[in-house]
Amino acid sequence: MRNEFSVIKVVNKLKECLPSGEFNALHEPKFSGNEWTYVKECLDTGWVSSVGKYVDQFEQKLAEFTGAKHAVAVVNGTAALHVSLLVLNVKPGDEILVPALTFIATVNAIAYCGAVPHFIDSEYRTMGVDPFKLKDYLVEVAEIRGEYCYNKHTGRRMKAVVAMHTFGHPVDLEPLLAVCHQFNLVLVEDAAESLGSYYKGKHVGNWGELAAFSFNGNKIMTTGGGGAITTNNASLAKQLKHLTTTAKVPHKWEFVHDHIGYNYRMPNINAAIGCAQLEQIPQFIHSKRMLAKQYQAAFETMEGIACFKEADFASSNYWLNVLLLDEAVTDQRDNLLELTNEQGIMTRPIWTLINKLDMYKDCPKMDLSVAESLSRRVVNIPSSVRLGESYEK
Ligand SMILES: *Cc1c(COP(=O)(O)O)cnc(C)c1O
């Protein structure tokens, strides 16, 4: 057959899209703006730690960019998720609905609260939560008593859905919100991978009650390590700020703390890098969208494989590009991973489903057939901002 799938063909196509003779990482950061200037100012003035003008500025600029009313900067995305669940009053024994196909931090944050993750399936259009399948499932297993939602089988209260926008692709938020309303569940967005992504023209993070972002070194923009929570709820924003700054009651000299708080505040020196990165985020997003277009064109006619495209309701930041293997050729996935990594093209499979990990193997779950299929079929390919720049017009 002329057009038959072959790993060699995939590698050659990737080489056509990438600069030759270089190692191409999955995602490397880019520092081409005011990073050095702002960091130097922190060092020169001594404002390197948990107080300083860049932290406030970063929060303000991030709120402006995402369109959220409030942003609270924290030490990393995992802390952002943890504290989001805490201010929503997630307690030991509560059940939290969460995709099995996500990065481990989404689920760990639930466990930090003593709550039980309840795994739900994903859909092919977004690689994220399938709102329609979730609805059918809840009709079966959930029961509203008073104003609260319970799991009929475990008797535990179900409080929230944490939806994650996989590799920058927004989940189908409107039907998901409808399900949340129907079952009195709060929506939290794990937007760690999706700064610069929009659902029906509105930035992600504005749909749920709270959203967590990450600025780790491998995300679309970085603060070294860092994260943030955005919300349009002023009271939650105030609690978030308080809880992430050791719950200290403001006073000139006295140490009084009114909760068991957390030392989760982002340091000024990290926020300085963040301010410089935020200034460049529109170019970063443009480059990444150009690279995605290039990959999509390159793989358009190849048999057995496709380059993942955003859904029609979404504008994605294309944080990590995805090659989606047909089920029929998944037996060649590991060959593809071997050969590409050998040749300086960094690739990797998607995460192991969280319900398969020892710590979470006994948690409740629904049918996960789509997540299972995606976990066999997805391969991430190099997606750094730098790679898209040569395609810019
Ligand atoms: C990166 C990431 C996180 C965690 O962010 P850190 O800043 O590394 O703690 C959480 N969820 C998802 C989906 C991520 O990709």
Side-chain angles (χ1 to χ4, degrees):
M1 252 194 285
R2 196 167 48 92
N3 249 341
E4 210 177 338
F5 175 85
S6 101
V7 164
I8 309 275
K9 278 191 209 162
V10 177
V11 173
N12 288 337
K13 268 291 175 212
L14 284 171
K15 281 185 178 164
E16 279 173 29
C17 297
L18 296 167
S20 57
E22 293 173 36
F23 173 73
N24 289 296
L26 215 53
H27 202 287
E28 57 190 48
K30 183 177 162 76
F31 304 110
S32 50
N34 288 316
E35 287 87 354
W36 282 106
T37 314
Y38 296 167
V39 168
K40 183 167 189 308
E41 197 201 312
C42 293
L43 298 177
D44 287 344
T45 59
W47 293 101
V48 294
S49 200
S50 47
V51 184
K53 71 171 189 186
Y54 285 116
V55 189
D56 301 325
Q57 208 178 92
F58 182 64
E59 289 176 335
Q60 200 188 325
K61 298 280 177 199
L62 183 68
E64 259 169 47
F65 180 75
T66 58
K69 288 208 180 79
H70 311 275
V72 177
V74 294
V75 286
N76 57 52
T78 310
L81 285 164
H82 180 201
V83 80
S84 292
L85 296 174
L86 288 174
V87 296
L88 291 176
N89 217 14
V90 171
K91 289 268 188 320
D94 287 338
E95 261 177 45
I96 307 296
L97 298 153
V98 64
L101 189 63
T102 186
F103 178 59
I104 186 81
T106 323
V107 181
N108 282 345
I110 295 168
Y112 297 164
C113 300
V116 178
H118 186 149
F119 296 112
I120 58 180
D121 204 10
S122 304
E123 63 161 320
Y124 291 115
R125 288 183 307 162
T126 65
M127 297 179 285
V129 171
D130 181 338
F132 304 101
K133 191 166 175 178
L134 178 62
K135 182 183 166 167
D136 291 345
Y137 178 63
L138 288 174
V139 165
E140 237 175 76
V141 305
E143 177 177 52
I144 306 280
R145 272 187 259 139
E147 39 179 322
Y148 299 134
C149 182
Y150 294 87
N151 181 332
K152 271 190 224 167
H153 305 298
T154 63
R156 286 190 289 249
R157 173 140 173 230
M158 298 202 278
K159 240 178 215 170
V161 179
V162 184
M164 196 273 287
H165 307 302
T166 309
F167 306 135
H169 295 286
V171 307
D172 196 356
L173 284 156
E174 272 176 356
L176 181 59
L177 269 173
V179 177
C180 288
H181 288 147
Q182 185 182 342
F183 290 94
N184 284 335
L185 298 162
V186 182
L187 177 64
V188 177
E189 296 175 67
D190 181 345
E193 304 180 351
S194 53
L195 185 73
S197 297
Y198 298 80
Y199 176 79
K200 299 194 173 174
K202 191 156 95 175
H203 199 284
V204 298
N206 285 296
W207 299 83
E209 195 63 32
L210 295 160
F213 290 87
S214 167
F215 310 110
N216 192 34
N218 64 344
K219 298 301 202 283
I220 186 164
M221 64 150 273
T222 185
T223 58
I229 309 104
T230 60
T231 181
N232 291 311
N233 181 323
S235 152
L236 287 179
K238 207 170 154 205
Q239 290 176 59
L240 287 164
K241 178 81 181 278
H242 189 58
L243 208 57
T244 53
T245 53
T246 64
K248 184 176 182 294
V249 180
H251 191 277
K252 253 200 183 102
W253 42 260
E254 202 174 43
F255 285 100
V256 177
H257 305 260
D258 59 5
H259 276 92
I260 299 177
Y262 295 83
N263 180 16
Y264 276 178
R265 186 87 170 139
M266 179 186 280
N268 199 48
I269 197 163
N270 297 86
I273 299 172
C275 287
Q277 291 265 290
L278 263 182
E279 291 168 358
Q280 302 162 77
I281 196 78
Q283 294 107 274
F284 287 2
I285 294 160
H286 180 66
S287 289
K288 292 176 73 71
R289 289 184 59 81
M290 295 304 279
L291 177 64
K293 231 166 118 181
Q294 191 66 27
Y295 278 138
Q296 285 162 19
F299 286 94
E300 200 151 28
T301 57
M302 197 178 277
E303 283 295 308
I305 198 165
C307 193
F308 191 89
K309 271 187 207 160
E310 64 198 359
D312 53 10
F313 49 67
S315 173
S316 174
N317 70 2
Y318 283 98
W319 171 54
L320 287 187
N321 281 285
V322 165
L323 289 180
L324 197 60
L325 300 171
D326 283 2
E327 196 70 68
V329 300
T330 49
D331 59 334
Q332 294 185 59
R333 185 195 74 177
D334 292 359
N335 290 340
L336 177 61
L337 291 165
E338 278 294 332
L339 196 62
T340 44
N341 283 295
E342 208 171 82
Q343 305 217 6
I345 301 169
M346 191 172 163
T347 58
R348 66 173 190 199
I350 202 168
W351 315 283
T352 301
L353 295 188
I354 308 290
N355 60 295
K356 305 225 160 145
L357 303 177
D358 234 20
M359 312 82 83
Y360 296 115
K361 67 179 188 314
D362 298 325
C363 295
K365 57 176 188 279
M366 68 188 274
D367 169 76
L368 299 170
S369 47
V370 175
E372 272 162 17
S373 160
L374 285 167
S375 78
R376 290 187 292 268
R377 296 173 55 198
V378 168
V379 170
N380 286 125
I381 53 177
S383 301
S384 303
V385 166
R386 157 179 90 80
L387 302 173
E389 283 169 350
S390 52
Y391 298 118
E392 276 178 56
K393 289 260 162 58

